[in-house]
């Protein structure tokens, strides 16, 4: 273990075990719960450690750090309300695994560091929810829900969507869809 308390080798082993479990999707629920708990503890250590160096990161690494920290905080928040079902178990394992792996990479290889700037903005971004459909922030007072979003980066991404605009807009668009008749050849 390093002076900061981050045991990179243990995190790598946990991530590898999670990856194997995701591939096989076999095992008992106790082993899965233990895997989730271990990954959660790693993420709880990595978020503050990366937050400490994020204000000194430069360029794209800083952008990746803000995204990873935001996602890490969201995953930890969702786990507090976690209700195990056969669908969500593997989604949470995947979220914990991928976020831990990304934050560990940033922690171990931050690149050239500069003068610290904008830590408050990074912390504010971590607390912000962003709509996975329209890309706009979900502000205080707006209704939202968790959703599984399909994207080019992955088949399923856990996220948030507006209830009061994106869901309504999607319903209106679906109602306007009508089948196009096949052309007839005469």
């Amino acid at each position: 273990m390093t002076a900061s308390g981050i045991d990179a080798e243990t995190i790598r082993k946990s991530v590898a075990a999670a990856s194997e479990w995701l591939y096989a999707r076999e095992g008992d629920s106790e082993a899965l719960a233990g895997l989730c708990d271990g990954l959660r503890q790693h993420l709880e250590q990595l978020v503050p450690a990366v937050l400490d160096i994020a204000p000194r990161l430069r360029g794209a690494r800083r952008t990746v750090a803000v995204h990873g920290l935001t996602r890490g905080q969201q995953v930890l928040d969702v786990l507090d309300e976690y209700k195990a079902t056969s669908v969500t178990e593997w989604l949470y394992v995947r979220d914990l695994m991928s976020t831990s792996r990304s934050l560990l990479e940033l922690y171990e290889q931050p690149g050239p560091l500069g003068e610290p700037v904008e830590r408050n903005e990074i912390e504010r971004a971590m607390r912000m929810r962003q709509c996975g459909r329209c890309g706009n922030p979900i502000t205080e007072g707006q209704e939202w829900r968790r959703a599984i979003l399909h994207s080019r980066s992955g088949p399923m991404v856990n996220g948030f969507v507006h209830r009061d605009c994106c869901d309504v807009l999607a319903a209106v668009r679906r109602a306007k869809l009508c089948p196009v008749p096949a052309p007839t050849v005469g």
Side-chain angles (χ1 to χ4, degrees), residues 4 6 11 42-57 61-70 72 99-110 113 119 122-123 126:
S4 65
I6 302 293
I11 294 172
H42 298 322
L43 197 55
E44 287 173 341
Q45 291 176 342
L46 285 165
V47 167
V50 173
L51 181 58
D52 286 343
I53 62 169
R56 298 178 55 210
L57 295 176
R61 298 220 39 93
R62 180 191 201 107
T63 304
V64 170
V66 170
H67 177 75
L69 288 167
T70 301
T99 308
S100 295
R101 182 177 40 217
S102 299
L103 292 178
L104 180 62
E105 173 75 18
L106 286 166
Y107 177 76
E108 289 188 314
Q109 299 177 9
L113 299 175
R119 181 180 172 117
I122 294 170
E123 289 173 342
M126 286 173 60

Side-chain angles (χ1 to χ4, degrees), residues 13-111:
K13 286 179 183 176
S14 296
V15 166
S19 182
E20 288 175 19
W21 183 87
L22 284 173
Y23 180 73
R25 291 220 190 125
E26 293 177 358
D28 59 45
S29 57
E30 283 185 37
L32 178 61
L35 183 59
C36 280
D37 287 344
L39 288 168
R40 179 187 183 146
Q41 290 172 6
H42 298 322
L43 197 55
E44 287 173 341
Q45 291 176 342
L46 285 165
V47 167
V50 173
L51 181 58
D52 286 343
I53 62 169
R56 298 178 55 210
L57 295 176
R58 296 180 180 178
R61 298 220 39 93
R62 180 191 201 107
T63 304
V64 170
V66 170
H67 177 75
L69 288 167
T70 301
R71 188 68 195 134
Q73 191 60 54
Q74 289 172 349
V75 169
L76 289 173
D77 290 346
V78 169
L79 284 174
D80 290 337
E81 303 165 11
Y82 176 60
K83 299 208 181 345
T85 67
S86 59
V87 174
T88 58
E89 284 176 338
W90 70 269
L91 289 173
Y92 286 119
V93 169
R94 191 200 62 198
D95 282 348
L96 285 164
M97 177 195 72
S98 61
T99 308
S100 295
R101 182 177 40 217
S102 299
L103 292 178
L104 180 62
E105 173 75 18
L106 286 166
Y107 177 76
E108 289 188 314
Q109 299 177 9

